[in-house]
Amino acid sequence: SDFFCAYPTMEESVAHYVRLISGNYYNHAFTYDNDRDYLAYILSKGYGEESLLSTWLALIRMYNTTQYNF
């Protein structure tokens, strides 16, 4: 069965994502320096369905979210 979380605010959602991705299971994700490889890695580790990759990359381009990369 799929597991999804719901949050009362965007801030809580982002905070949970950061805690999850910063944990040991996903920590290798930060070794990638581009969006495609980073997203492909976390998807391969079970963060979501691998079919989401092209959708996420399109949203990154559409909303220019790379300006928030660190």
Side-chain angles (χ1 to χ4, degrees), residues 2-69:
D2 291 331
F3 178 74
F4 296 94
C5 295
Y7 302 92
T9 67
M10 176 65 77
E11 290 79 11
E12 289 177 69
S13 173
V14 171
H16 182 252
Y17 173 79
V18 170
R19 282 192 309 273
L20 180 69
I21 295 299
S22 299
N24 289 334
Y25 188 71
Y26 294 104
N27 67 352
H28 187 70
F30 295 110
T31 65
Y32 298 104
D33 62 357
N34 65 73
D35 297 326
R36 173 176 286 283
D37 292 342
Y38 170 84
L39 292 170
Y41 175 77
I42 66 170
L43 289 170
S44 74
K45 298 288 278 181
Y47 185 80
E49 296 177 16
E50 292 191 41
S51 61
L52 290 172
L53 181 60
S54 61
T55 301
W56 286 353
L57 291 171
L59 289 169
I60 288 168
R61 285 190 302 275
M62 181 186 308
Y63 293 105
N64 189 30
T65 61
T66 57
Q67 65 185 312
Y68 304 110
N69 288 1

